[in-house]
Amino acid sequence: MDILLQLVFSGIALGMIYAVIAFGYQLTFATSGTLNFGQGEALMLGALVGLSVVGNIHGGPYLNYWLMIPIVLVFGALQGMFVEWIGVRPAIKIKSEFGWIMSTIALAIIFKNVAENIWGKDDLPFPMPISGTPFQIFGANVQPMQVLVVIGALLIMAAVELFNRKSIYGKAVVATSNDRDAAGLMGINTSMVITFSYALSSATAAFAGVLVAPLTLTGATMGAALGLKAFAVAIIGGLTSGMGAIVGGLILGIAETVTGFYISTGYKEVPGLLLLLLVLAVKPAGLFGKTAIKKV
Amino acid sequence: MTYKTQALVAAALMTFAMSSQAADPIKIGVSGPYTGGSAPMGVSMRDGVKLAVAEINAAGGVLGRQLQIVERDDEAKNERGVQIAQELINKEKVVATVGYANTGVALASQRFYQEAKIPVITNVATGTVVTKQFEKDKDNYIFRTSANDAIQAKMLADEAIDKQKYTKVAILADSTNYGQLGREDLEKALAAKKITPVAVEKYNLKDVDMTAQLLKSKQGGAQVVLTYGIGPELAQIANGMEKLNWHVPIIGSWPLSMGNFIDNSGKNGNGARMPQTFIQDGNTPKRKAFIEAYQKAYKIDRMPSAVSAAQGYDSILLLAAAIKQAGTTDGDKVRAALESLNTKVEGVVTTYDKPFTRDDHEAIKAGSVVMGEVRNGRVVLGK
């Protein structure tokens, strides 16, 4: 029993990381119908910028872990705006259906190469803000940092949801995501809202980066695999539902650790991806997604 | 131009051409991973090679010619290694190549040298088959100055079973050629002691969660974890054990001595033991001089991978001795000279007295490898 519990706990910590990145995919999809395929790289850049501030690699540490978080959030937001401005806006302007796919992938590759040149190709350790010594819950070991990851992920998602529901700016975001043209006619600057959604999505990814970095190693290549898994999570959960991101993340994370233990570590990624195919076949909008009817 | 000036110019050109021909450097290829997870091995190896070349050149070179290295980053990728091999052979016309930190890259690239009859001294990669790939050919051009996996696997089994008296072991190996070939050697060595591992687990490069593999080992009742992998993932294993609050010793193949394992695992890596041909500890004058020269040349205190640096350094000394003995840079003659070196070569790993024969291309024999241990961020001699 504690074995299963241990696997589930590790799976939850892993899954929540996927969930935050998946949440970032959803933010931009909701407002603009586009996705940033560089979400994994946004996470990687956030983690590396954070490392430059709190680690001892660039003459630091300059600040402690908690004071570094706002800096990383601002950096993430600026990076997201840059992606939107250079890669997505032109595609939306010419009403290109797919231009943004290639341009966000291209930007992701450029970011990775730039990061390799600034931070090197090696993996680096990230200092842990709290003790790494695990404590026990029902016989299973949990690291305080893993708990922090789960809480941090839930907090940032709750904050974004609250902002969207309660504030007037958030209502503009919701209006744009419901019907961009109508929102535009009502006087909402929809292109600004889209830029904002990109800033928000990259900022959450950057935040996820500094959350996960103390548990994994930090390096220019850390984003690719995480970004891809999170994309699968976004599809499983549905691209329009924040709840879907959480549930999808948990499903994939737990499926990976449980499969690794009970079947084979060589096959640990298979069940999650099989689930992805199943969801696409049975309920293409995702487990929690709304089916959109597209008129042509 | 008068006839006289023409003749003068021609004569001047001739002497110039001849003198430049006489001073033509001997080109030696160096192929290794200088970036990525294997970088500590590749970089240290290259830096060791450079030190040896600088020393030989300062002493007048070989056959009156200077040595010149042509270094290429194979990024630990098989396909990159193959490209580099072809470039070094066909474009750079190297006399010999040293290098290869990754067993997979070595196996993929050596074929081209074998066909071109150019000797290769693999100085880091340890896969047992590396020197046996062309055993059936008339001549074998592949030599090695690292301790192969058969030697290391036996040492791991001796250490865990005979010395530490463990009976239940778990093996964690990565999914590359290196990890899987090493795992086979390790299972063979354990079988010779009638030990069946309680768990044999695999992981991929870049994996960040080792919970499943470690839990299986823990459930099997393993008293020790034997590893076959490279730095960053080994650190994930040590850190994963901390996450599970499961503390058993780690004994593994030699990359447990790499800087990126020691740094990324921090205190969790303390006590890890691994076979070493060389430990950064100046216990002989030759070793002391080598370590000091290295620290001074590259302005660092701890070598990222001392074993690779030492083996890289020695591989050049052996190659230079062979070229000297052959009296030519012809690949076939250099190979023959390597197989019958008649001078003792004093390296930093050991003193090589007839290191290679026609049937044995392994310079390192079981006796000259020691057990190292990670202690407070350094590798020291394990007791």
Side-chain angles (χ1 to χ4, degrees):
Chain A
M1 187 58 212
D2 5 326
I3 286 292
L4 187 62
L5 206 61
Q6 181 74 68
L7 291 168
V8 169
F9 283 159
S10 286
I12 290 175
L14 197 61
M16 287 315 282
I17 300 295
Y18 298 158
V20 195
I21 314 171
F23 188 65
Y25 280 118
Q26 293 174 346
L27 287 175
T28 61
F29 187 77
T31 52
S32 60
T34 60
L35 295 167
N36 177 8
F37 282 102
Q39 280 292 80
E41 272 63 32
L43 170 135
M44 174 271 291
L45 283 176
L48 285 172
V49 167
L51 183 64
S52 285
V53 177
V54 300
N56 51 9
I57 48 166
H58 290 147
Y62 297 102
L63 291 173
N64 78 15
Y65 183 87
W66 310 106
L67 293 175
M68 165 273 291
I69 290 177
I71 297 178
V72 167
L73 286 176
V74 169
F75 171 82
L78 290 174
Q79 190 255 348
M81 287 160 79
F82 177 74
V83 170
E84 195 271 344
W85 176 62
I86 232 169
V88 181
R89 190 176 297 182
I92 293 181
K93 197 176 279 168
I94 58 164
K95 300 218 183 309
S96 153
E97 282 274 337
F98 303 114
W100 51 268
I101 298 182
M102 286 322 290
S103 51
T104 55
I105 292 176
L107 280 170
I109 296 171
I110 293 170
F111 285 135
K112 185 167 147 266
N113 282 325
V114 169
E116 280 176 349
N117 280 306
I118 298 178
W119 286 278
K121 291 185 182 176
D122 293 333
D123 290 327
L124 306 159
F126 199 100
M128 237 184 236
I130 49 178
S131 153
T133 321
F135 58 88
Q136 295 216 323
I137 306 179
F138 308 119
N141 292 291
V142 181
Q143 266 182 317
M145 192 65 214
Q146 288 175 306
V147 178
L148 191 69
V149 165
V150 174
I151 295 175
L154 288 173
L155 272 183
I156 189 101
M157 286 193 270
V160 173
E161 286 286 319
L162 209 64
F163 174 83
N164 279 352
R165 300 242 170 101
K166 298 287 176 204
S167 76
I168 183 80
Y169 303 104
K171 287 187 176 130
V173 172
V174 176
T176 309
S177 73
N178 270 337
D179 189 334
R180 188 165 70 210
D181 294 335
L185 290 172
M186 298 305 287
I188 293 171
N189 185 346
T190 54
S191 76
M192 186 120 102
V193 169
I194 291 170
T195 310
F196 176 73
S197 73
Y198 264 82
L200 208 56
S201 100
S202 282
T204 52
F207 179 66
V210 292
L211 267 187
V212 54
L215 288 176
T216 66
L217 299 172
T218 331
T221 49
M222 73 186 285
L226 283 173
L228 189 69
K229 296 260 182 69
F231 186 64
V233 164
I235 300 291
I236 291 172
L239 273 165
T240 48
S241 160
M243 192 61 184
I246 298 179
V247 175
L250 294 181
I251 292 176
L252 198 68
I254 295 172
E256 273 187 22
T257 51
V258 170
T259 316
F261 184 80
Y262 290 107
I263 301 173
S264 158
T265 41
Y267 285 117
K268 73 182 163 67
E269 268 132 40
V270 173
L273 297 174
L274 280 181
L275 183 69
L276 169 74
L277 295 177
L278 195 70
V279 166
L280 281 177
V282 177
K283 197 169 181 299
L287 293 177
F288 289 79
K290 288 184 291 225
T291 314
I293 300 164
K294 194 173 182 187
K295 291 198 184 108
V296 274
Chain B
M1 222 183 269
T2 64
Y3 174 76
K4 208 172 162 189
T5 40
Q6 263 179 349
L8 265 175
V9 168
L13 278 177
M14 282 276 281
T15 26
F16 181 72
M18 274 167 70
S19 65
S20 79
Q21 198 175 18
D24 234 12
I26 299 175
K27 276 191 177 177
I28 297 168
V30 183
S31 176
Y34 310 138
T35 52
S38 300
M41 299 192 273
V43 170
S44 305
M45 177 275 290
R46 177 195 63 191
D47 290 348
V49 162
K50 277 186 180 166
L51 271 186
V53 166
E55 278 174 25
I56 290 169
N57 283 345
V62 180
L63 308 179
R65 295 161 68 185
Q66 296 277 294
L67 298 183
Q68 184 194 352
I69 60 169
V70 187
E71 53 174 278
R72 292 286 183 273
D73 181 7
D74 63 33
E75 299 167 30
K77 290 179 186 149
N78 297 1
E79 68 278 10
R80 204 54 207 119
V82 167
Q83 269 180 4
I84 290 169
Q86 290 168 320
E87 187 200 335
L88 290 178
I89 295 168
N90 299 322
K91 187 161 158 268
E92 299 290 345
K93 312 267 183 223
V94 296
V95 165
T97 284
V98 299
Y100 297 119
N102 306 87
T103 297
V105 184
L107 291 176
S109 317
Q110 289 171 356
R111 183 160 60 86
F112 300 94
Y113 293 98
Q114 176 74 17
E115 278 166 11
K117 296 187 191 301
I118 292 174
V120 174
I121 303 186
T122 293
N123 49 23
V124 182
T126 57
T128 304
V129 294
V130 165
T131 53
K132 305 208 186 320
Q133 209 179 0
F134 307 106
E135 250 180 349
K136 294 203 171 62
D137 289 14
K138 192 168 131 294
D139 299 309
N140 180 3
Y141 285 82
I142 316 301
F143 297 82
R144 165 153 59 191
T145 57
S146 61
N148 68 34
D149 283 339
I151 295 176
Q152 294 195 37
K154 180 156 186 316
M155 282 185 73
L156 297 189
D158 286 349
E159 174 78 17
I161 312 299
D162 298 346
K163 202 156 159 235
Q164 314 273 1
K165 310 283 179 213
Y166 298 123
T167 51
K168 292 183 166 176
V169 304
I171 301 179
L172 264 66
D174 73 26
S175 55
T176 63
N177 280 7
Y178 170 69
Q180 291 307 308
L181 290 170
R183 175 189 54 75
E184 279 174 29
D185 283 330
L186 191 51
E187 283 185 284
K188 255 183 248 162
L190 288 169
K193 298 187 191 298
K194 305 209 165 28
I195 299 280
T196 314
V198 294
V200 179
E201 298 300 317
K202 198 195 246 190
Y203 57 85
N204 294 322
L205 296 187
K206 294 271 156 209
D207 270 4
V208 294
D209 188 279
M210 300 280 180
T211 310
Q213 290 92 332
L214 288 168
L215 265 184
K216 264 188 160 171
S217 314
K218 189 184 173 189
Q219 278 321 98
Q223 299 155 314
V224 59
V225 170
L226 304 182
T227 62
Y228 240 96
I230 285 172
E233 291 80 24
L234 295 173
Q236 293 291 6
I237 292 176
N239 295 342
M241 286 165 79
E242 169 74 22
K243 270 184 220 173
L244 294 177
N245 207 5
W246 182 49
H247 298 284
V248 296
I250 300 176
I251 304 176
S253 58
W254 76 274
L256 277 171
S257 66
M258 277 164 65
N260 57 11
F261 166 74
I262 297 174
D263 292 342
N264 288 329
S265 63
K267 68 173 173 49
N268 302 334
N270 257 343
R273 294 170 87 95
M274 75 309 277
Q276 297 283 278
T277 54
F278 179 83
I279 287 172
Q280 188 181 341
D281 173 19
N283 51 4
T284 66
K286 176 93 184 168
R287 285 180 179 180
K288 193 157 178 284
F290 168 67
I291 293 168
E292 277 165 9
Y294 191 101
Q295 286 170 328
K296 195 162 154 254
Y298 306 109
K299 296 184 181 58
I300 47 158
D301 178 42
R302 189 189 72 194
M303 298 178 177
S305 171
V307 169
S308 312
Q311 286 166 183
Y313 180 85
D314 284 5
S315 64
I316 289 291
L317 298 191
L318 289 170
L319 183 64
I323 294 175
K324 205 164 148 197
Q325 182 177 324
T328 162
T329 55
D330 177 66
D332 196 40
K333 300 218 168 72
V334 174
R335 173 196 57 76
L338 274 170
E339 286 172 351
S340 60
L341 273 183
N342 50 24
T343 47
K344 276 191 192 176
V345 176
E346 198 195 341
V348 287
V349 171
T350 180
T351 298
Y352 301 90
D353 185 12
K354 303 212 182 310
F356 305 111
T357 63
R358 199 162 159 74
D359 303 320
D360 181 7
H361 283 197
E362 304 275 0
I364 302 292
K365 310 291 188 283
S368 49
V369 188
V370 296
M371 230 358 144
E373 185 179 312
V374 175
R375 207 174 296 150
N376 304 325
R378 306 287 280 221
V379 177
V380 297
L381 191 64
K383 290 189 188 81

